[in-house]
Amino acid sequence: MIRLLLIILLALLIGTGLSLGLQYDLGYIRISLGHYLIETNFWVGLGVIIALVVLTVLTINVIRRLRTSTGLVAGWIARGNERRARRRTTQGLLALAEGNWPRARKLLTSSASHADTPLINYLAAAQASFESGDHEAVDELLRKAFDSTPGSDMAVGITQAQLQLAGNRLEQALATLVRLRKQSPHHPFVLKLLKNTYLRLEDWRELSRLLPELRKRSVLSEAELNDLERQVWHNLLERAAEDCRRQQKQEPDASLEPLTRLWDELPGFLRRDEYTIRDYARLLASLGDEVQTETLLRKVLRNHWSDELINLYGRVKGQKPDEQLLLAEQWLKDRPNNPELLLALGRLSLRNELWGKAREYFETSLRLKRSREALAELSRLNAHMGEEEASVKLLMQGLAKDNGLPELPMPRA
């Protein structure tokens, strides 16, 4: 209101000044433009100049207003696109969760260019394309995801590796994960995916090199890591034994150095693990080195008792079978009712050609536990001692037990 009054007052003052000025002749204005000559009264010229200035100012204001209104329209259009993109993105994610892959891919890709987070759109669309079986589209969408968001290499790479693993493209997944690990050597999820890839490729040597980092970064629980480590080294021992067998076929006197060297590489807790010791001892024995197998088992059994290991101890031939038998009989003093130890003593007695003692040990073991091995051993011994009837009877008992036969009436012989 005050501004309007000031403008009116100023206009009145100017009008009054002009009306007074018109009473005086101030001359004329003369303008020469090339061959043209313009002459006018001073006041008329002044009025024209003022009119031109006012027109110029008005024109500039109109242009500014047009620009502002264009920006508002553009902003309104952009906001509308963003709202539609958010709505279509939500619909696309719902379609993805529902398993409607074509619809999910269409909605997510069409709204990606106007979405707040185009990376999510492209990654989700890549997932939908993978589920549809369109692997070429997967690679293209992952490339767009990478281009859409700076610094998204890790996220895109992990998604790519997961889809490659899911599609059983193991070699490609391995290449992707090795590249990601170079960028981020300690990334827990990259390490976990790399572990899964090596497992599926059965690359036990590379997995053994990865194990320390998995443990250091707590990628798996302690129990899972221990189980994985047992699995890795068990397979490495098996492969080393297979290498030794191939060498023995070419050279019967070839050393077992690949297997024994690998045993020395095992982590300390595995060299004290009962199951790992059992596997290694069985491999040694199968390769013909029963003397070293007996030495290993004897050392372990002195400090850590195991029914599985004592069973294996009774099967191998040490350097001095008589001392082997005496040592096992000393263990019997502390474990008089252990059927596995008695079975092993029976076998060691056979090794020393003590037939009667072997029979006693087998029979005692059977009284404590009706095991298939004890039945078979006693049956075999009786057969070689000329007691075929007792041997056949034991053999039939063993067959009945092995096949789970029920107790039924039978005719008398």
Side-chain angles (χ1 to χ4, degrees), residues 275-294:
Y275 302 104
T276 307
I277 294 170
R278 178 201 61 193
D279 293 342
Y280 177 61
R282 284 178 177 173
L283 291 172
L284 274 179
S286 69
L287 291 168
D289 196 345
E290 293 189 64
V291 173
Q292 187 174 346
T293 305
E294 189 273 332

mmCIF file of all heavy atoms in Angstrom, residues 275-294:
data_model
loop_
_atom_site.group_PDB
_atom_site.id
_atom_site.type_symbol
_atom_site.label_atom_id
_atom_site.label_comp_id
_atom_site.label_asym_id
_atom_site.label_seq_id
_atom_site.Cartn_x
_atom_site.Cartn_y
_atom_site.Cartn_z
ATOM 1 N N TYR A 275 39.512 -88.077 13.603
ATOM 2 C CA TYR A 275 39.045 -88.482 12.288
ATOM 3 C C TYR A 275 40.092 -88.211 11.209
ATOM 4 O O TYR A 275 40.234 -88.994 10.262
ATOM 5 C CB TYR A 275 37.733 -87.770 11.960
ATOM 6 C CG TYR A 275 36.657 -88.046 12.985
ATOM 7 C CD1 TYR A 275 36.297 -87.093 13.932
ATOM 8 C CD2 TYR A 275 36.033 -89.290 13.036
ATOM 9 C CE1 TYR A 275 35.327 -87.362 14.887
ATOM 10 C CE2 TYR A 275 35.056 -89.560 13.989
ATOM 11 C CZ TYR A 275 34.716 -88.592 14.910
ATOM 12 O OH TYR A 275 33.762 -88.861 15.860
ATOM 13 N N THR A 276 40.830 -87.131 11.361
ATOM 14 C CA THR A 276 41.887 -86.839 10.401
ATOM 15 C C THR A 276 43.019 -87.849 10.532
ATOM 16 O O THR A 276 43.579 -88.312 9.521
ATOM 17 C CB THR A 276 42.423 -85.410 10.616
ATOM 18 O OG1 THR A 276 41.338 -84.489 10.601
ATOM 19 C CG2 THR A 276 43.401 -85.024 9.518
ATOM 20 N N ILE A 277 43.362 -88.195 11.766
ATOM 21 C CA ILE A 277 44.394 -89.223 11.994
ATOM 22 C C ILE A 277 43.958 -90.553 11.387
ATOM 23 O O ILE A 277 44.745 -91.261 10.743
ATOM 24 C CB ILE A 277 44.673 -89.378 13.499
ATOM 25 C CG1 ILE A 277 45.299 -88.095 14.052
ATOM 26 C CG2 ILE A 277 45.599 -90.565 13.763
ATOM 27 C CD1 ILE A 277 45.378 -88.059 15.564
ATOM 28 N N ARG A 278 42.684 -90.908 11.592
ATOM 29 C CA ARG A 278 42.165 -92.154 11.030
ATOM 30 C C ARG A 278 42.288 -92.172 9.509
ATOM 31 O O ARG A 278 42.739 -93.160 8.908
ATOM 32 C CB ARG A 278 40.707 -92.311 11.447
ATOM 33 C CG ARG A 278 40.020 -93.551 10.885
ATOM 34 C CD ARG A 278 38.518 -93.370 10.894
ATOM 35 N NE ARG A 278 38.112 -92.240 10.066
ATOM 36 C CZ ARG A 278 36.902 -91.701 10.074
ATOM 37 N NH1 ARG A 278 35.976 -92.159 10.900
ATOM 38 N NH2 ARG A 278 36.615 -90.695 9.281
ATOM 39 N N ASP A 279 41.881 -91.052 8.856
ATOM 40 C CA ASP A 279 41.965 -90.993 7.396
ATOM 41 C C ASP A 279 43.406 -91.130 6.923
ATOM 42 O O ASP A 279 43.684 -91.867 5.963
ATOM 43 C CB ASP A 279 41.375 -89.669 6.897
ATOM 44 C CG ASP A 279 39.879 -89.567 7.127
ATOM 45 O OD1 ASP A 279 39.248 -90.627 7.350
ATOM 46 O OD2 ASP A 279 39.348 -88.442 7.107
ATOM 47 N N TYR A 280 44.310 -90.421 7.571
ATOM 48 C CA TYR A 280 45.717 -90.463 7.163
ATOM 49 C C TYR A 280 46.297 -91.857 7.374
ATOM 50 O O TYR A 280 47.024 -92.377 6.505
ATOM 51 C CB TYR A 280 46.502 -89.426 7.966
ATOM 52 C CG TYR A 280 47.991 -89.422 7.686
ATOM 53 C CD1 TYR A 280 48.482 -89.148 6.412
ATOM 54 C CD2 TYR A 280 48.911 -89.692 8.700
ATOM 55 C CE1 TYR A 280 49.835 -89.141 6.148
ATOM 56 C CE2 TYR A 280 50.273 -89.680 8.450
ATOM 57 C CZ TYR A 280 50.731 -89.417 7.173
ATOM 58 O OH TYR A 280 52.084 -89.415 6.920
ATOM 59 N N ALA A 281 45.973 -92.477 8.503
ATOM 60 C CA ALA A 281 46.492 -93.816 8.787
ATOM 61 C C ALA A 281 45.973 -94.827 7.766
ATOM 62 O O ALA A 281 46.715 -95.702 7.299
ATOM 63 C CB ALA A 281 46.110 -94.233 10.203
ATOM 64 N N ARG A 282 44.704 -94.730 7.406
ATOM 65 C CA ARG A 282 44.144 -95.649 6.411
ATOM 66 C C ARG A 282 44.817 -95.473 5.056
ATOM 67 O O ARG A 282 45.081 -96.451 4.351
ATOM 68 C CB ARG A 282 42.640 -95.417 6.285
ATOM 69 C CG ARG A 282 41.825 -96.000 7.441
ATOM 70 C CD ARG A 282 40.349 -95.687 7.288
ATOM 71 N NE ARG A 282 39.559 -96.295 8.354
ATOM 72 C CZ ARG A 282 38.279 -96.078 8.551
ATOM 73 N NH1 ARG A 282 37.625 -95.221 7.761
ATOM 74 N NH2 ARG A 282 37.619 -96.673 9.530
ATOM 75 N N LEU A 283 45.090 -94.234 4.702
ATOM 76 C CA LEU A 283 45.763 -93.981 3.426
ATOM 77 C C LEU A 283 47.175 -94.549 3.435
ATOM 78 O O LEU A 283 47.620 -95.162 2.454
ATOM 79 C CB LEU A 283 45.786 -92.485 3.132
ATOM 80 C CG LEU A 283 44.432 -91.832 2.822
ATOM 81 C CD1 LEU A 283 44.549 -90.329 2.750
ATOM 82 C CD2 LEU A 283 43.852 -92.382 1.517
ATOM 83 N N LEU A 284 47.877 -94.342 4.538
ATOM 84 C CA LEU A 284 49.231 -94.900 4.648
ATOM 85 C C LEU A 284 49.210 -96.415 4.516
ATOM 86 O O LEU A 284 50.020 -97.012 3.798
ATOM 87 C CB LEU A 284 49.856 -94.515 5.993
ATOM 88 C CG LEU A 284 50.577 -93.178 6.110
ATOM 89 C CD1 LEU A 284 51.087 -92.985 7.530
ATOM 90 C CD2 LEU A 284 51.728 -93.074 5.119
ATOM 91 N N ALA A 285 48.289 -97.041 5.228
ATOM 92 C CA ALA A 285 48.202 -98.499 5.191
ATOM 93 C C ALA A 285 47.839 -98.996 3.793
ATOM 94 O O ALA A 285 48.379 -99.995 3.312
ATOM 95 C CB ALA A 285 47.185 -98.980 6.213
ATOM 96 N N SER A 286 46.896 -98.290 3.120
ATOM 97 C CA SER A 286 46.482 -98.718 1.782
ATOM 98 C C SER A 286 47.609 -98.598 0.778
ATOM 99 O O SER A 286 47.625 -99.307 -0.230
ATOM 100 C CB SER A 286 45.280 -97.892 1.319
ATOM 101 O OG SER A 286 45.655 -96.541 1.066
ATOM 102 N N LEU A 287 48.562 -97.703 1.057
ATOM 103 C CA LEU A 287 49.720 -97.525 0.167
ATOM 104 C C LEU A 287 50.870 -98.462 0.522
ATOM 105 O O LEU A 287 51.925 -98.407 -0.097
ATOM 106 C CB LEU A 287 50.191 -96.071 0.216
ATOM 107 C CG LEU A 287 49.224 -95.053 -0.414
ATOM 108 C CD1 LEU A 287 49.617 -93.633 -0.057
ATOM 109 C CD2 LEU A 287 49.171 -95.232 -1.928
ATOM 110 N N GLY A 288 50.661 -99.291 1.535
ATOM 111 C CA GLY A 288 51.650 -100.307 1.868
ATOM 112 C C GLY A 288 52.605 -99.970 2.989
ATOM 113 O O GLY A 288 53.423 -100.805 3.376
ATOM 114 N N ASP A 289 52.517 -98.775 3.556
ATOM 115 C CA ASP A 289 53.437 -98.405 4.638
ATOM 116 C C ASP A 289 52.761 -98.675 5.987
ATOM 117 O O ASP A 289 52.394 -97.754 6.724
ATOM 118 C CB ASP A 289 53.830 -96.936 4.513
ATOM 119 C CG ASP A 289 55.061 -96.589 5.352
ATOM 120 O OD1 ASP A 289 55.418 -97.407 6.235
ATOM 121 O OD2 ASP A 289 55.642 -95.519 5.135
ATOM 122 N N GLU A 290 52.600 -99.960 6.323
ATOM 123 C CA GLU A 290 51.930 -100.324 7.560
ATOM 124 C C GLU A 290 52.801 -100.071 8.779
ATOM 125 O O GLU A 290 52.280 -99.840 9.880
ATOM 126 C CB GLU A 290 51.513 -101.802 7.513
ATOM 127 C CG GLU A 290 50.438 -102.081 6.474
ATOM 128 C CD GLU A 290 49.887 -103.489 6.583
ATOM 129 O OE1 GLU A 290 49.272 -103.807 7.625
ATOM 130 O OE2 GLU A 290 50.085 -104.274 5.632
ATOM 131 N N VAL A 291 54.117 -100.101 8.598
ATOM 132 C CA VAL A 291 55.020 -99.854 9.724
ATOM 133 C C VAL A 291 54.855 -98.424 10.240
ATOM 134 O O VAL A 291 54.706 -98.193 11.443
ATOM 135 C CB VAL A 291 56.482 -100.119 9.304
ATOM 136 C CG1 VAL A 291 57.440 -99.696 10.418
ATOM 137 C CG2 VAL A 291 56.676 -101.592 8.972
ATOM 138 N N GLN A 292 54.853 -97.457 9.314
ATOM 139 C CA GLN A 292 54.659 -96.067 9.733
ATOM 140 C C GLN A 292 53.253 -95.856 10.283
ATOM 141 O O GLN A 292 53.056 -95.068 11.215
ATOM 142 C CB GLN A 292 54.912 -95.126 8.546
ATOM 143 C CG GLN A 292 54.901 -93.650 8.929
ATOM 144 C CD GLN A 292 55.288 -92.757 7.768
ATOM 145 O OE1 GLN A 292 55.803 -93.230 6.764
ATOM 146 N NE2 GLN A 292 55.042 -91.465 7.911
ATOM 147 N N THR A 293 52.278 -96.579 9.718
ATOM 148 C CA THR A 293 50.906 -96.485 10.225
ATOM 149 C C THR A 293 50.833 -96.966 11.671
ATOM 150 O O THR A 293 50.213 -96.312 12.527
ATOM 151 C CB THR A 293 49.962 -97.328 9.358
ATOM 152 O OG1 THR A 293 50.073 -96.923 7.997
ATOM 153 C CG2 THR A 293 48.519 -97.166 9.809
ATOM 154 N N GLU A 294 51.476 -98.104 11.965
ATOM 155 C CA GLU A 294 51.477 -98.641 13.337
ATOM 156 C C GLU A 294 52.164 -97.687 14.302
ATOM 157 O O GLU A 294 51.684 -97.470 15.428
ATOM 158 C CB GLU A 294 52.167 -100.007 13.347
ATOM 159 C CG GLU A 294 52.047 -100.766 14.656
ATOM 160 C CD GLU A 294 53.142 -100.406 15.645
ATOM 161 O OE1 GLU A 294 54.245 -100.024 15.201
ATOM 162 O OE2 GLU A 294 52.913 -100.514 16.872
#
